Amino acid sequence: SPRDLWETYLPAFKTLVQKGGVKEVMCAYQRLDGDPCCGSNRLLTQILRNEWGFDGVVVSDCGAIRDFYQKGRHEVSADAPSAASKAVLSGTDVNCGKVYLNLPEAVEKGYIKEADIDVSVKRLLEGRFELGDFDPDELNDWTKIPESVVCSPEHKALALQMAREQMVLLQNKKNILPLAKDERIILMGPNAADSVMLWGIYYGKPTHSVTVKEGLEKKLGSIPYYKACALTSFNEAASKNIRKVLEYGTDDFIPEVEAEKEVYSIESILNAAKDYTTVVFVGGISPLIEREEAKVDLPGFKGGDRTSIELPQVQRDILAALHKAGKKVVFVNCSGSAVALTPETKSCDAILQAWYPGEQGGHAVADVLYGDYNPSGKLPVTFYKDDSVLKDFEDYSIKGYTYRYLETKPLFQYGFGLSYTSFRLSAPTLTPTGKKNGYKLSLDITNTGKKDGAEVVQLYMRCIDDKEGPLKTLRGYSRVELAAGSTKQVTIDVPESTFERFDPQTNTMRVVPGNYELLYGTSSDNKDLKKLKVIVE
């Protein structure tokens, strides 16, 4: 719908173009209003260039131009020359693929003029000149960066900081975390000793990746470890040795994985854990099955797409069995997207969402589990309760999805994340800036606990008059680090653009006069938010 296009799908791109100054934009595979995105004059010329002022390069997703004419795909073009000309005339400068080799024939047939092609050629040359592509190495700064700089201590420290800050503590019953260093733990799970999982997809290869096992060993010394299962079954053989059948980067990046010598079972897992009070289970999913074009079909996954958001059943069964056996269970979930963990909120004492945390991920997980780093991450996506929330895969309507339109309560709210300390927000002051409909929101935040920590104060907007609009939309935030017992003032800018919304009367995004609410707090959950009413003139 026009509302979803302008209010949900386009705003992030507009921000990146106008405020981020990106140099390249990629056009996607699908169609919008009948035109493939890479052949859409409306998207690439009217909106991107004319309205937003983008002057960089547009590159197609790989194979997207071929889809114009390939049988069974879009079939909006008769052949390769007409597809190439349609894409160039719409504003796609670079073809990831070979279809643009047909442009000379397209010119001969009168589909396109050389002057039209020159528009894209000039953009490409400007980009290559800017990169120093035609300069000798001695004049090009990029050629002078040695490996020692790429893998410098400063960059490793930055990777560790990023990994720590992305950790989101979702559950911590009876404050089981942080763990005491004399706690009798055993490490389990398919992701506990997996370094490749840490990278995500579209990665650079680190000189060394610190697994969770290595991170814990660095902190504790030798620890007992029992893998317990593969991602979706009790052993690698049963899951068809998925590493070997996936196109995962280049082959030299993928360690050869043999079938497990031992076929795991619930009985063997409980036997391994019998002498330990606490199990740290590092599971979830992995880029091996959550990725583009994976050649694997497993329960809940088909060719790299997830057909279910539930945690793989084998892991669910193991966690439940450990809980039933009286073990304290600390579950570290690794994933690139939301996982439904409703049963795990009962079987696990603590849940840490670690994502795919990069080369220093193992150190970061260990630091959080043992309290050497106080978690401060907040969920950037909604964690739904189960599969029942999901609509048909081809239903692109945002209704019923995300914190902005979800009518039912999710498992974990967007913007949610626990800490090892506690915070209190004061009543705010909303001060006009003198600019039309512009304000500054100020409040005090106090660390009322006994540990240093950081909190993220979040600001949301809702238009009371817009009955079809979002329940709320994030409009600002401030991450504040506080020593135990200290107080700081937080100020968040509230410019007029805060109140911008979709106007169905004009089919545009604009500031419409009316009654609005500003909601401020520590997550998108209504119980964590307080409201201020604002009249926009």
Side-chain angles (χ1 to χ4, degrees):
S1 68
R3 177 185 284 275
D4 281 354
L5 176 67
W6 288 101
E7 201 167 59
T8 296
Y9 287 99
L10 289 182
F13 293 94
K14 182 179 180 181
T15 297
L16 289 165
V17 168
Q18 295 191 332
K19 296 183 179 180
V22 295
K23 296 291 187 179
E24 293 188 27
V25 169
M26 178 179 281
C27 51
Y29 290 113
Q30 70 267 18
R31 285 196 300 269
L32 178 69
D33 298 333
D35 269 330
C37 292
C38 293
S40 170
N41 184 71
R42 182 189 179 202
L43 281 177
L44 302 181
T45 299
Q46 293 177 19
I47 295 174
L48 179 63
R49 295 196 185 277
N50 296 347
E51 293 186 28
W52 296 352
F54 179 69
D55 61 359
V57 170
V58 172
V59 57
S60 81
D61 210 335
C62 293
I65 311 302
R66 184 186 62 225
D67 288 348
F68 287 16
Y69 63 91
Q70 195 168 35
K71 199 72 175 173
R73 301 294 176 88
H74 295 310
E75 297 187 50
V76 297
S77 299
D79 50 27
S82 58
S85 58
K86 177 178 177 63
V88 173
L89 290 170
S90 299
T92 302
D93 303 305
V94 185
N95 166 216
C96 181
K98 298 181 179 180
V99 181
Y100 278 12
L101 294 175
N102 295 277
L103 282 171
E105 183 180 343
V107 171
E108 290 176 7
K109 291 183 174 179
Y111 298 159
I112 191 171
K113 298 176 182 177
E114 283 192 47
D116 298 319
I117 299 173
D118 285 345
V119 173
S120 290
V121 171
K122 288 176 182 177
R123 290 184 192 133
L124 296 176
L125 289 174
E126 286 174 358
R128 293 182 67 183
F129 284 133
E130 195 171 346
L131 288 170
D133 212 12
F134 298 102
D135 295 333
D137 281 357
E138 59 269 19
L139 295 179
N140 192 329
D141 291 340
W142 305 113
T143 65
K144 300 173 186 176
I145 302 174
E147 187 80 358
S148 60
V149 170
V150 176
C151 300
S152 66
E154 293 82 3
H155 287 169
K156 289 182 183 294
L158 179 60
L160 177 59
Q161 178 190 346
M162 292 166 65
R164 284 170 163 175
E165 290 188 11
Q166 77 170 24
M167 299 287 154
V168 184
L169 183 59
L170 297 178
Q171 181 167 290
N172 193 19
K173 293 179 181 177
K174 298 181 180 179
N175 293 323
I176 183 178
L177 297 180
L179 296 169
K181 290 187 178 176
D182 60 357
E183 182 90 15
R184 289 183 56 77
I185 73 161
I186 181 171
L187 178 65
M188 291 185 173
N191 284 329
D194 189 344
S195 60
V196 176
M197 173 277 299
L198 301 170
W199 304 346
I201 64 171
Y202 298 107
Y203 47 77
K205 185 184 178 185
T207 52
H208 179 72
S209 301
V210 181
T211 66
V212 175
K213 181 174 181 290
E214 289 177 297
L216 289 172
E217 288 174 336
K218 176 74 173 177
K219 197 170 293 292
L220 304 172
S222 178
I223 57 171
Y225 164 65
Y226 191 72
K227 185 175 179 179
C229 66
L231 288 170
T232 62
S233 64
F234 274 113
N235 71 317
E236 290 285 1
S239 64
K240 301 177 182 177
N241 205 353
I242 57 177
R243 283 180 187 264
K244 291 184 179 180
V245 298
L246 289 172
E247 292 181 332
Y248 193 87
T250 57
D251 291 341
D252 63 308
F253 281 21
I254 306 306
E256 285 292 316
V257 177
E258 298 179 359
E260 300 290 350
K261 295 177 182 178
E262 178 177 5
V263 177
Y264 301 112
S265 66
I266 295 291
E267 183 180 12
S268 72
I269 292 164
L270 293 180
N271 185 59
K274 66 181 180 181
D275 295 329
Y276 303 95
T277 57
T278 301
V279 178
V280 175
F281 189 97
V282 186
I285 52 180
S286 160
L288 292 168
I289 51 181
E290 178 187 36
R291 59 175 290 106
E292 279 193 290
E293 300 180 15
K295 295 180 178 179
V296 60
D297 289 340
L298 296 167
F301 306 88
K302 185 174 181 60
D305 290 326
R306 296 175 64 194
T307 58
S308 169
I309 61 172
E310 303 287 347
L311 184 71
Q313 190 63 44
V314 65
Q315 297 182 50
R316 180 159 283 171
D317 292 343
I318 292 170
L319 294 170
L322 289 168
H323 173 71
K324 187 176 180 180
K327 303 300 176 182
K328 296 177 184 177
V329 180
V330 176
F331 179 46
V332 179
N333 186 62
C334 303
S335 66
S337 52
V339 176
L341 301 171
T342 296
E344 287 62 53
T345 60
K346 298 177 181 177
S347 63
C348 300
D349 296 275
I351 302 174
L352 178 67
Q353 177 64 28
W355 311 103
Y356 301 138
E359 65 173 74
Q360 298 295 314
H363 286 320
V365 169
D367 287 346
V368 170
L369 294 184
Y370 282 89
D372 294 320
Y373 183 82
N374 190 348
S376 60
K378 301 287 187 174
L379 286 182
V381 291
T382 300
F383 272 46
Y384 303 109
K385 287 183 177 180
D386 52 45
D387 279 343
S388 67
V389 180
L390 305 182
K391 298 182 289 187
D392 186 274
F393 186 76
E394 294 183 359
D395 183 349
Y396 283 79
S397 170
I398 206 68
K399 282 288 187 184
Y401 282 151
T402 80
Y403 74 96
R404 295 170 62 240
Y405 282 101
L406 186 64
E407 299 280 358
T408 59
K409 190 172 179 61
L411 185 62
F412 296 112
Q413 291 272 7
Y414 175 92
F416 172 78
L418 299 174
S419 170
Y420 294 150
T421 190
S422 54
F423 301 92
R424 182 180 66 243
L425 304 184
S426 72
T429 58
L430 192 64
T431 308
T433 60
K435 297 181 180 179
K436 185 180 180 183
N437 295 317
Y439 301 90
K440 283 189 180 295
L441 179 80
S442 299
L443 54 84
D444 290 337
I445 178 170
T446 302
N447 182 340
T448 57
K450 297 179 180 180
K451 286 182 175 289
D452 298 349
E455 180 59 286
V456 180
V457 181
Q458 301 162 42
L459 177 70
Y460 297 84
M461 178 276 289
R462 182 174 84 93
C463 179
I464 299 171
D465 302 331
D466 188 0
K467 304 306 180 186
E468 298 297 317
L471 301 171
K472 59 180 78 79
T473 299
L474 183 70
R475 282 294 188 246
Y477 62 90
S478 179
R479 186 177 185 275
V480 188
E481 296 192 14
L482 289 161
S486 67
T487 298
K488 287 184 180 178
Q489 186 180 71
V490 179
T491 299
I492 299 177
D493 287 331
V494 188
E496 184 181 36
S497 58
T498 300
F499 305 103
E500 186 176 83
R501 67 175 180 86
F502 182 74
D503 177 17
Q505 303 302 315
T506 59
N507 265 8
T508 62
M509 292 290 289
R510 70 185 190 95
V511 177
V512 181
N515 299 296
Y516 290 77
E517 284 180 341
L518 293 175
L519 304 93
Y520 64 95
T522 55
S523 90
S524 66
D525 195 333
N526 285 335
K527 71 178 179 58
D528 294 329
L529 294 170
K530 295 182 179 179
K531 301 176 182 179
L532 290 171
K533 290 189 177 180
V534 177
I535 297 175
V536 173
E537 299 176 347

